[in-house]
């Protein structure tokens, strides 16, 4: 496969570390050479969090050059919108979980929160494919990660990273206490 | 043991996807580090997290969270002059705290070996500045290695240990944020953990260890001698090498080169992928002492050389000196814009500089698509945070013109909207010194803040000084029982390592004339105490305590009996006064387009600290919702 840049984003506390770890290891399982990096700053305190995964043989920097992300994966709508600026100008792909965490500027009415339509509109300018997922039945919001992983498996945007390879990694990586519950959710979503 | 620890302690050589910080821990285990110390600070806390993940009985080293970076460094020094291989690690600005002792280290024979890991933060992702600690290598006569990748960090750490033991001098390993947090598959070597005798080897014959009076000069000469030998190591180091990613050759009849170090080399290599020009790069990752012959030879072999580094022009000055000394004819290019001296040298910013220097060779081709208008997302205190209740209550007591002085920690976030409390912020523990200075012959009230970990770290001298000279300030100790901002590490007052050292008792012994102690969720009483403290003439203290709710909630969630709880807004009672979002500011509240307020159940932890903030009592526990969930 040619080089592929995956840019993940969300809000501190959503569990992007686990999502990124599972995806990175699934890429390794698929036989790719990867480099990745997390940027969390004051992440636990509700700021923007970013994780970057780069697939390819001649990758030097773990940082994706601006405008060269092939895939954006967002855990939250506004952050997915922001991350779309990192996307290349053609043939990019965006998948986001449609949770909505208002930043303080929105709550103070100094700024607006983007609608789904705004993201759609911008995706036309960026000439990219965009898809969002949501599941209102989750017992724990951190399971939104699993919903995204199942969708990534189904969409097949990353060649050879499929339900089986993701599941293999989840079995290894997830803490024992939440493993069964998360694997079951993943299976159910794949079967849908 | 966890899968993570199993892999970390795996004796056989193996391949592993590993983070830079964790690669360092594997290198520590392989080299047999016996004493490791730190004070928590980003981007290095994962090093300590990995060490402490190893159960104590399996941990082949002594580890401690010291009270601050200076003490941590001194403990590592003490261990090394006693013959034990030691390491100390902390964030960039931690070296400022440690510097009074750090500048002496180059003068001492650290016989056991000693590696000082620095977590520099270009881009100031989680620091109050982006200071360039390469300066410190020069001030303290200590060699410096700068890895660009986790692989290099792993290898360099092991080489640093060897160099340190060979020359009996400490070595700086300067990491940067995105080297600490990068992940890469690394070939890990065998790990053999041998029994260790802990034999005490401290011997004044190996010293002297007291650089005072006439002893200073021979010690300084010895340090400079060691550095001269170290320059030979740098000349021969595989970390200082030439890359020619596009082959050898000339561009329009001229041989072009770039001198750089560490992560910026990767950014340059990324950009050279996009062009075919045969531009050479001299990478200097063993960066102090700079290998003079290697640089001189590179200059001799090129017609034009760009010195491209991150942050301060340090390599630039070194290369210019070498060019002058060697009568070089090479044309030197340097960064021209002040902007280029600020922030991280990402691939995109590197391209811009290359384009400034060689506009014919690096043209921008992609068109910019109009940026949408997107709200910033400022970091904020977590739902249920006791500091939020504190700021909300304290603001009610503050006169309009009060001056508020913040300190480092989660409560620094109080400066942001909607509280705007903590208008001055310098460094760990500064608040009471700065506040005392502000209070001199000043009719305006001065309020200082400090967190509990910072209280122990560097806060005590300023507080003693305020009490000693009876400066007219009100100190608010924001006590949450942990070092919260960096990931809940223990501190002397948290009671996890040994019996709690109570802050209140310390303050009582300082003769402060007014001390009150209150849980911040009791907002009314906190406001009352604050008013009394402000009316008090002289040094007064209010301890505003509440346990870190992020830590507390995580602990609760692990329990079988945990039942999530939430609040809701009674839409019939709500009068759209918006105190909940505009004054109290919990992120769990959502302002809807129709003007109504609802609660985001994904964020709310049901702590109920918001209930008292609504003038019409429209916030209530969502018992019904929680029963049905």
């Amino acid at each position: 496969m040619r080089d592929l840049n995956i840019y993940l984003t969300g809000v501190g506390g959503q569990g992007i570390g686990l999502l990124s770890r599972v995806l990175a290891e699934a890429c390794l399982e698929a036989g790719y050479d990867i480099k990745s990096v997390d940027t969390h700053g004051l992440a636990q305190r509700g700021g923007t969090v970013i994780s970057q995964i780069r697939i390819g043989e001649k990758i030097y920097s773990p940082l994706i050059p601006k405008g060269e992300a092939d895939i954006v994966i967002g855990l939250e709508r506004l952050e997915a919108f922001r991350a779309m600026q990192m996307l290349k100008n053609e043939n990019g792909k965006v998948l986001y979980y449609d949770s909505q965490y208002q930043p303080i500027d929105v709550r103070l009415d100094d700024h607006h929160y983007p609608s789904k339509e705004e993201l759609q509109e911008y995706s036309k300018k960026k000439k990219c494919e965009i898809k969002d997922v949501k599941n209102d039945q989750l017992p724990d919001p951190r399971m939104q990660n699993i919903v995204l992983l199942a969708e990534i498996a189904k969409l097949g945007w990353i060649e050879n990273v499929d339900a089986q390879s993701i599941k293999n990694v989840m079995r290894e990586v997830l803490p024992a206490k939440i493993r069964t519950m998360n694997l079951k959710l993943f299976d159910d979503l794949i079967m849908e | 043991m966890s899968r993570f620890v199993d892999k970390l302690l795996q004796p056989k050589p193996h391949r592993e996807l590993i983070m830079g910080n964790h690669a360092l821990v594997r290198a520590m285990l392989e080299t047999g580090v016996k004493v490791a110390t730190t004070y928590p600070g980003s981007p290095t806390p994962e090093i300590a997290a990995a060490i402490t993940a190893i159960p104590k009985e399996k941990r082949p080293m002594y580890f401690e969270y010291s009270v601050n970076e200076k003490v941590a460094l001194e403990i590592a020094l003490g261990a090394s002059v006693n013959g034990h291989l030691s390491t100390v690690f902390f964030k960039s600005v931690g070296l400022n705290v440690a510097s009074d002792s750090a500048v002496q280290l180059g003068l001492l024979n650290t016989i056991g070996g000693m590696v000082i890991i620095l977590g520099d933060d270009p881009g100031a992702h989680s620091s109050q500045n982006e200071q360039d600690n390469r300066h410190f290598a020069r001030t303290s006569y200590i060699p410096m290695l700068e890895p660009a990748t986790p692989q290099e960090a792993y290898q360099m750490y092991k080489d640093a240990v060897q160099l340190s033991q060979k020359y009996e001098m400490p070595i700086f390993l300067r990491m940067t944020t995105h080297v600490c947090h990068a992940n890469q598959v690394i070939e890990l070597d065998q790990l053999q953990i041998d029994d260790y005798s802990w034999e005490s080897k401290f011997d004044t014959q190996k010293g002297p260890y007291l650089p005072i009076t006439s002893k200073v000069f021979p010690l300084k000469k010895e340090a400079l001698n060691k550095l001269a030998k170290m320059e030979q190591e740098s000349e021969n180091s595989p970390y200082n090498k030439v890359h020619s990613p596009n082959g050898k050759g000339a561009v329009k009849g001229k041989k072009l080169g770039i001198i750089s170090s560490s992560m910026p080399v990767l950014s340059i290599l990324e950009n050279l992928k996009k062009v075919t020009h045969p531009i050479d790069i001299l990478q200097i990752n063993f960066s102090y002492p700079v290998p003079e012959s290697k640089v001189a030879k590179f200059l001799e072999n090129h017609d034009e050389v760009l010195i491209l580094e991150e942050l301060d022009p340090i390599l630039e000055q070194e290369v210019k000196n070498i060019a002058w000394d060697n009568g070089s004819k090479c044309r030197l290019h340097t960064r021209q814009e002040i902007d280029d001296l600020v922030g991280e040298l990402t691939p995109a910013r590197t391209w811009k500089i290359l384009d400034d220097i060689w506009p014919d060779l690096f043209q921008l081709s992609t068109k910019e698509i109009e940026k949408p208008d997107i709200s910033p997302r400022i970091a904020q205190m977590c739902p249920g945070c006791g500091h939020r209740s504190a700021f909300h209550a304290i603001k009610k007591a503050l006169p309009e013109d009060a001056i508020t002085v913040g300190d480092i920690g989660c409560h620094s976030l109080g400066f942001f909207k909607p509280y705007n409390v903590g208008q001055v912020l310098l460094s760990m523990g500064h608040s009471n010194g700065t506040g005392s200075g502000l209070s001199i012959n000043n009719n305006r009230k001065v309020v200082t803040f400090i967190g509990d970990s910072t209280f122990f770290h560097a806060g005590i001298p300023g507080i003693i000084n305020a009490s000693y000279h009876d400066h007219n300030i009100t100190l608010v100790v924001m006590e949450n029982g942990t070092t919260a901002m960096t990931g809940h590490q223990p501190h002397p007052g948290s009671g996890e390592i040994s019996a709690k050292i109570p802050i209140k008792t310390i303050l009582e012994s300082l003769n402060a004339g007014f001390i009150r102690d209150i849980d911040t969720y009791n907002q009314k009483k906190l406001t009352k105490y604050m008013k009394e403290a402000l009316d008090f003439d002289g040094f007064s203290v209010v301890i505003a305590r509440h346990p870190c709710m992020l830590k507390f909630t995580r602990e609760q969630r692990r329990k079988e009996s945990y039942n999530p709880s939430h609040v809701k807004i009674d839409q019939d009672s709500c009068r759209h006064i918006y105190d909940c979002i505009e004054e109290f500011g919990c992120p769990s509240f959502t302002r809807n387009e129709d003007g109504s307020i609802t609660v985001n159940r994904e964020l709310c932890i049901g702590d109920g600290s918001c209930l008292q903030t609504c003038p019409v009592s429209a916030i209530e526990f969502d018992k019904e919702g929680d029963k049905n969930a």
Side-chain angles (χ1 to χ4, degrees):
Chain A
M1 190 172 69
R2 52 172 192 80
D3 294 357
L4 193 75
N5 294 324
I6 309 169
Y7 191 90
L8 301 105
T9 185
V11 177
Q14 288 192 292
I16 194 174
L18 183 74
L19 175 66
S20 169
R21 180 86 199 174
V22 171
L23 209 51
E25 293 214 18
C27 291
L28 282 183
E29 277 248 327
Y32 299 127
D33 199 1
I34 68 143
K35 291 216 165 67
S36 73
V37 70
D38 302 322
T39 304
H40 34 62
L42 305 173
Q44 284 180 339
R45 323 306 147 197
T48 304
V49 286
I50 293 160
S51 189
Q52 313 184 43
I53 303 175
R54 306 194 66 193
I55 301 175
E57 273 168 28
K58 262 201 157 181
I59 301 295
Y60 298 103
S61 174
L63 302 169
I64 300 172
K66 198 174 176 199
E68 293 185 25
D70 297 280
I71 299 174
V72 161
I73 297 170
L75 276 157
E76 195 265 355
R77 190 198 290 168
L78 183 139
E79 292 311 322
F81 194 21
R82 195 193 315 280
M84 282 171 75
Q85 294 170 68
M86 285 299 293
L87 212 56
K88 56 189 191 175
N89 284 347
E90 262 174 62
N91 298 323
K93 294 180 167 73
V94 182
L95 167 67
Y96 69 97
Y97 191 94
D98 195 26
S99 59
Q100 298 151 48
Y101 293 178
Q102 292 186 343
I104 182 74
D105 289 86
V106 172
R107 300 200 304 276
L108 292 178
D109 217 9
D110 292 339
H111 232 293
H112 83 294
Y113 192 87
S115 63
K116 270 170 97 158
E117 290 69 33
E118 273 176 82
L119 272 72
Q120 282 288 351
E121 213 42 51
Y122 188 62
S123 74
K124 284 179 199 152
K125 285 187 193 159
K126 270 278 189 188
K127 295 184 188 141
C128 66
E129 193 178 332
I130 186 164
K131 189 165 184 352
D132 67 280
V133 283
K134 196 169 181 156
N135 185 325
D136 291 323
Q137 307 300 317
L138 301 175
D140 186 322
R142 285 168 299 178
M143 291 171 89
Q144 293 166 356
N145 282 308
I146 308 301
V147 179
L148 279 173
L149 283 169
E151 198 59 32
I152 291 164
K154 284 201 276 190
L155 288 168
W157 285 348
I158 313 164
E159 211 176 304
N160 297 329
V161 171
D162 54 15
Q164 198 52 51
S165 62
I166 292 177
K167 239 179 107 168
N168 289 347
V169 175
M170 281 170 64
R171 254 190 227 111
E172 283 267 305
V173 171
L174 291 179
K177 224 180 148 188
I178 58 163
R179 196 178 297 145
T180 321
M181 196 163 81
N182 281 287
L183 282 170
K184 186 179 177 307
L185 173 67
F186 185 82
D187 279 338
D188 291 349
L189 292 167
I190 291 291
M191 301 299 270
E192 257 178 21
Chain B
M1 278 190 302
S2 68
R3 170 183 182 254
F4 172 74
V5 174
D6 281 341
K7 287 194 164 186
L8 201 58
L9 294 177
Q10 159 84 258
K12 283 188 198 139
H14 66 288
R15 282 164 60 80
E16 174 80 29
L17 176 66
I18 196 164
M19 182 204 284
N21 278 340
H22 295 163
L24 290 174
V25 177
R26 173 75 184 199
M28 285 178 204
L29 293 164
E30 286 179 23
T31 49
V33 165
K34 287 299 151 216
V35 172
T37 56
T38 190
Y39 179 81
S42 194
T44 61
E46 295 83 5
I47 303 175
I51 295 173
T52 54
I54 306 171
K56 231 175 173 175
E57 65 280 7
K58 294 245 173 197
R59 205 183 294 162
M61 66 178 83
Y62 171 83
F63 168 78
E64 74 169 44
Y65 284 112
S66 304
V67 80
N68 68 26
E69 293 87 351
K70 182 167 182 281
V71 177
L73 179 122
E74 287 154 356
I75 288 175
L77 168 71
S80 180
V81 298
N82 199 23
H84 309 304
L85 176 58
S86 71
T87 214
V88 56
F89 51 96
F90 38 67
K91 69 180 291 146
S92 53
V93 291
L95 186 53
N96 302 339
V97 179
S99 65
D100 207 6
S101 288
V103 290
Q104 300 299 90
L105 292 186
L107 305 183
L108 307 179
N109 291 325
T110 46
I111 56 170
M114 178 173 179
V115 179
I116 304 163
I117 301 170
L118 305 173
D120 274 18
D121 192 14
H125 296 282
S126 48
S127 312
Q128 64 265 38
N129 69 20
E130 52 171 10
Q131 79 182 40
D132 193 329
N133 276 335
R134 291 180 300 167
H135 291 293
F136 252 102
R138 285 137 181 104
T139 311
S140 55
Y141 317 128
I142 297 177
M144 180 173 273
L145 298 169
E146 296 184 67
T149 62
Q151 172 78 59
E152 213 168 50
Y154 168 71
Q155 200 55 50
M156 270 189 182
Y157 185 89
K158 299 204 285 184
D159 290 348
V161 166
Q162 275 196 353
L163 286 170
S164 176
Q165 290 179 328
K166 181 173 168 191
Y167 294 97
E168 300 188 336
M169 72 191 302
I171 308 280
F172 278 131
L173 188 74
R174 178 181 179 256
M175 304 280 285
T176 52
T177 298
H178 281 143
V179 181
C180 287
H181 294 153
N183 298 280
Q184 173 185 20
V185 174
I186 299 183
E187 306 272 353
L188 297 171
D189 295 330
Q190 187 171 326
L191 168 62
Q192 189 183 328
I193 297 171
D194 297 324
D195 288 340
Y196 190 69
S197 68
W198 288 99
E199 181 197 344
S200 172
K201 292 183 184 152
F202 178 74
D203 182 356
T204 51
Q205 297 299 314
K206 298 266 187 190
Y209 290 116
L210 56 170
I212 47 168
T213 63
S214 60
K215 294 231 167 66
V216 170
F217 307 110
L219 285 175
K220 183 173 168 184
K221 282 181 196 165
E222 178 57 16
L224 294 171
N225 271 327
K226 282 185 187 174
L227 268 185
K229 287 181 199 154
M230 208 52 99
E231 195 191 323
Q232 267 316 304
E233 299 279 356
S234 172
E235 289 285 1
N236 299 328
S237 168
Y239 301 121
N240 296 339
K241 64 175 176 190
V242 177
H243 298 266
S244 303
N246 295 339
K248 295 265 182 197
V251 184
K252 294 180 188 163
K254 283 185 176 157
K255 284 191 168 170
L256 305 184
I258 302 170
I259 300 180
S260 186
S261 65
S262 184
M263 230 178 150
V265 173
L266 306 181
S267 294
I268 296 165
L269 284 167
E270 277 304 329
N271 285 315
L272 288 185
K273 276 196 327 200
K274 295 175 192 162
V275 294
T276 55
H277 320 306
I279 299 175
D280 299 319
I281 306 164
L282 173 60
Q283 157 197 312
I284 303 181
N285 289 5
F286 188 147
S287 68
Y288 187 72
V290 171
E292 184 173 338
S293 307
K294 257 184 193 166
V295 172
K297 200 174 147 207
F298 191 77
L299 295 178
E300 200 183 309
N301 290 340
H302 292 86
D303 299 303
E304 290 184 29
V305 164
L306 164 64
I307 306 148
L308 186 44
E309 63 198 308
E310 201 165 58
L311 306 181
D312 298 345
I314 294 173
L315 205 49
E316 181 180 318
Q317 286 167 17
E318 298 259 16
V319 173
K320 281 176 176 170
N321 290 350
I322 294 169
W324 174 263
D325 290 346
N326 289 274
S328 170
K329 302 230 164 27
C330 178
R331 182 176 172 202
L332 294 182
H333 296 286
T334 57
R335 293 169 294 166
Q336 296 299 312
E337 313 275 337
I338 285 183
D339 261 3
D340 299 335
L341 304 177
V342 178
E344 206 175 2
L345 215 52
T346 59
R349 298 190 63 218
T350 305
W351 179 275
K352 188 232 149 222
I353 296 172
L354 291 169
D355 182 38
D356 286 348
I357 304 295
W358 291 307
D360 300 347
L361 308 182
F362 296 89
Q363 277 159 359
L364 284 172
S365 57
T366 49
K367 59 175 193 326
E368 283 272 325
I369 288 178
E370 193 191 337
K371 271 189 194 168
D373 179 29
I374 300 176
S375 166
R377 186 182 297 275
I378 302 164
Q380 55 194 353
M381 289 168 275
C382 307
C385 180
H387 294 349
R388 174 173 293 106
S389 281
F391 286 129
H392 188 62
I394 288 167
K395 267 189 91 167
K396 289 185 174 158
L398 289 182
E400 190 73 13
D401 66 349
I403 301 172
T404 53
V405 185
D407 215 293
I408 307 277
C410 280
H411 82 267
S412 309
L413 300 172
F415 169 70
F416 293 128
K417 293 184 272 192
Y419 320 104
N420 307 114
V421 176
Q423 302 148 318
V424 193
L425 179 63
L426 298 184
S427 62
M428 291 286 282
H430 88 105
S431 59
N432 291 288
T434 307
S436 296
L438 276 160
S439 74
I440 296 167
N441 287 329
N442 189 350
N443 290 328
R444 295 164 71 181
K445 297 287 182 192
V446 177
V447 179
T448 62
F449 293 84
I450 200 161
D452 40 0
S453 193
T454 313
F455 175 95
F456 291 105
H457 173 284
I460 289 175
I463 293 169
I464 291 182
N465 193 73
S467 185
Y468 171 40
H469 294 289
D470 201 24
H471 284 293
N472 194 16
I473 59 173
T474 296
L475 161 64
V476 183
V477 181
M478 303 287 262
E479 188 175 1
N480 59 11
T482 185
T483 315
M485 187 61 116
T486 47
H488 306 123
Q489 293 83 0
H491 67 58
S494 70
E496 289 148 283
I497 304 289
S498 55
K500 250 185 202 184
I501 299 175
I503 289 179
K504 194 177 178 190
T505 316
I506 296 175
L507 289 165
E508 279 165 353
S509 71
L510 298 184
N511 306 330
F514 180 101
I515 302 178
R516 295 290 181 277
D517 174 17
I518 181 79
D519 187 297
T520 64
Y521 274 19
N522 193 340
Q523 294 172 12
K524 273 214 175 87
K525 212 159 184 185
L526 175 53
T527 306
K528 176 175 168 279
Y529 284 165
M530 216 34 221
K531 281 183 181 154
E532 290 170 14
L534 287 164
D535 287 341
F536 183 83
D537 191 21
F539 180 57
S540 58
V541 182
V542 175
I543 300 171
R545 66 183 149 74
H546 195 83
C548 170
M549 292 304 279
L550 183 62
K551 184 167 183 257
F552 177 80
T553 309
R554 277 186 191 160
E555 286 161 2
Q556 292 303 305
R557 278 188 181 139
R558 283 191 210 115
K559 294 180 183 161
E560 288 298 330
S561 57
Y562 174 66
N563 276 321
S565 147
H566 301 84
V567 301
K568 66 168 182 155
I569 310 281
D570 176 16
Q571 297 298 337
D572 295 334
S573 317
C574 178
R575 290 288 164 270
H576 300 169
I577 299 161
Y578 300 123
D579 270 8
C580 55
I581 44 173
E582 292 177 358
E583 305 289 331
F584 188 60
C586 178
S588 307
F589 296 113
T590 299
R591 184 197 288 257
N592 301 301
E593 276 183 8
D594 62 2
S596 67
I597 303 294
T598 48
V599 172
N600 183 339
R601 287 179 61 93
E602 290 179 10
L603 290 170
C604 178
I605 61 164
D607 52 280
S609 59
C610 53
L611 266 63
Q612 56 197 309
T613 68
C614 179
V616 293
S617 304
I619 310 174
E620 55 194 30
F621 283 107
D622 189 6
K623 286 184 185 145
E624 200 63 26
D626 287 333
K627 212 180 348 172
N628 300 332

